[in-house]
Amino acid sequence: MDIYDFTIIGGGPTGLFGAFYSGLREMRTKLIDSMPQLGGQLSALYPEKYIYDVGGFPKVLAKDLVAQFADQALQYSPTVCLSEKVVKLERVGDDTAAGGHLILTTDKGKSHYSRTVLLAAGVGAFLPRKMDIPDLDRLEGLGVHYFVTDPAALAGKRLVIVGGGDSAFDWAMALGPQAVSCLQLHRTDRFRAHEDTIKKVRELDSVELRTFFELKALHGEEHLEAVTIFDNRTGEEQRVECDALLLNLGFLTNLGPIKEWGLEIEKNTIRVDSTMRTNIAGVYSAGDICSYIGKLKLIATGVGEAGTAANFAKTYLDPGSKAFPGHSSDMR
């Protein structure tokens, strides 16, 4: 039985930074992810989307940010297991690192053994939030999109974007200047995006932002040709010719089997304390999957939480070690 010091579930930015920091602390590390590549949502959903709110980068493509995180983590040669979904976690022995350990079972029938575990699986399984509109399913991939993996494919199109969050505004800012026309709709005049991004989109001549407008119908046989929108204050309808419809309505998240592991769950997230420790000895959590008072779901927050978790996992493994050994620049 090969027992690792620190096993991370989730290969996104939070998990990758956790692997880097556990390497700094000389913990033998394993990283498990259900996807075939590292990067989490950034790789799977937004590789060509610019990220604006991480330190050190005025803006950076998601795929490039992932590459930097991966390079940073892999320098310590963690064992990486891709295309494996952890379906069961159980503790064996007592609550000390010396007297007990954790067993992680995957959908491949494999068992992984570890003294500590970091749960950094983002928001768990996620599906795009959809609308109850006729023909929506039929036209998916034929002009209807939830994600943008190739922005060049939408250049020169008549584009309609629906949503009032950061993704909708970021894509309006990125795609609007390359489109023949770009109309962004939101059902209210209140947004869930950063104020600066909203301001920049409002200043773009290439984007028309309409509030209090919603989508009512789609038109087209072989592909999307137009949409019907309506003013939810007056009921007035309008047909808009378009080639592409981007729905940025958020995600439906599901923790899946994680809910059955005996963790303290609150509003579909894992409750942690200030050391990122869960209610199960040796199990920590970081990133969007965990919660505490004052939590902000940012990449910057997640990587900080991963560093905290790795350091306190070290003290759990070795009570004589310090939770904060010093800055990395002092160790080289």
Side-chain angles (χ1 to χ4, degrees):
M1 183 168 58
D2 191 9
I3 304 179
Y4 280 70
D5 295 323
F6 193 61
T7 296
I8 302 165
I9 301 176
T14 296
L16 288 169
F17 192 76
F20 159 72
Y21 222 104
S22 63
L24 274 182
R25 300 306 306 268
E26 295 190 339
M27 290 187 282
R28 189 160 172 257
T29 302
K30 179 179 285 187
L31 192 152
I32 306 173
D33 196 277
S34 61
M35 294 183 182
Q37 75 283 326
L38 294 172
Q41 290 187 47
L42 296 188
S43 290
L45 307 181
Y46 310 119
E48 300 291 340
K49 182 175 180 288
Y50 278 109
I51 307 297
Y52 299 94
D53 56 357
V54 292
F57 295 96
K59 69 175 184 177
V60 58
L61 284 174
K63 64 180 182 181
D64 295 336
L65 181 62
V66 164
Q68 292 289 325
F69 271 112
D71 285 348
Q72 184 182 43
L74 297 179
Q75 66 181 303
Y76 291 107
S77 302
T79 297
V80 177
C81 303
L82 298 176
S83 299
E84 280 192 62
K85 180 180 179 181
V86 178
V87 296
K88 185 177 181 181
L89 181 149
E90 55 186 324
R91 183 160 188 88
V92 176
D94 62 34
D95 286 352
T96 67
H101 64 272
L102 297 143
I103 304 175
L104 295 82
T105 305
T106 73
D107 58 350
K108 305 296 185 184
K110 297 181 181 179
S111 294
H112 301 269
Y113 304 92
S114 190
R115 292 185 174 84
T116 62
V117 167
L118 172 63
L119 303 175
V123 292
F126 49 87
L127 293 172
R129 192 179 298 276
K130 297 188 177 184
M131 305 179 73
D132 185 16
I133 295 179
D135 293 320
L136 182 64
D137 291 344
R138 181 177 64 82
L139 290 169
E140 287 178 0
L142 300 173
V144 174
H145 308 274
Y146 298 97
F147 318 114
V148 179
T149 56
D150 182 12
L154 296 179
K157 303 287 187 182
R158 297 169 297 176
L159 176 63
V160 174
I161 299 174
V162 179
D166 276 316
S167 287
F169 277 94
D170 285 348
W171 281 125
M173 190 160 55
L175 299 173
Q178 311 302 323
V180 169
S181 63
C182 181
L183 172 63
Q184 182 181 351
L185 310 175
H186 189 47
R187 60 186 178 179
T188 75
D189 60 355
R190 301 176 68 180
F191 306 111
R192 294 170 286 104
H194 292 98
E195 291 84 352
D196 180 65
T197 310
I198 297 169
K199 177 184 176 183
K200 287 177 178 175
V201 169
R202 288 188 183 278
E203 292 173 347
L204 283 175
D205 293 334
S206 55
V207 178
E208 180 185 356
L209 177 61
R210 290 196 202 177
T211 55
F212 300 104
F213 272 83
E214 299 184 48
L215 198 63
K216 182 172 184 177
L218 310 182
H219 310 285
E221 294 300 324
E222 307 257 332
H223 56 82
L224 182 69
E225 297 174 0
V227 296
T228 295
I229 63 175
F230 70 97
D231 186 324
N232 59 27
R233 299 162 298 182
T234 65
E236 179 183 356
E237 297 183 8
Q238 179 182 351
R239 181 183 172 105
V240 177
E241 305 297 317
C242 69
D243 310 299
L245 172 67
L246 179 57
L247 298 174
N248 289 141
L249 306 173
F251 295 97
L252 299 171
T253 61
N254 186 353
L255 292 179
I258 294 175
K259 292 185 291 187
E260 311 302 322
W261 295 354
L263 295 155
E264 184 181 348
I265 304 294
E266 182 178 277
K267 295 182 180 179
N268 215 39
T269 58
I270 300 167
R271 193 73 179 170
V272 295
D273 65 13
S274 59
T275 68
M276 312 315 298
R277 182 179 59 185
T278 72
N279 60 303
I280 298 178
V283 179
Y284 301 80
S285 186
D288 288 354
I289 199 171
C290 77
S291 64
Y292 49 84
I293 295 174
K295 168 77 177 190
L296 294 175
K297 292 188 176 184
L298 297 169
I299 293 174
T301 305
V303 298
E305 293 166 352
T308 297
N311 279 311
F312 280 97
K314 178 68 175 183
T315 65
Y316 174 79
L317 294 170
D318 177 11
S321 65
K322 295 180 179 180
F324 180 60
H327 300 286
S328 60
S329 56
D330 297 333
M331 299 169 64
R332 297 192 180 273

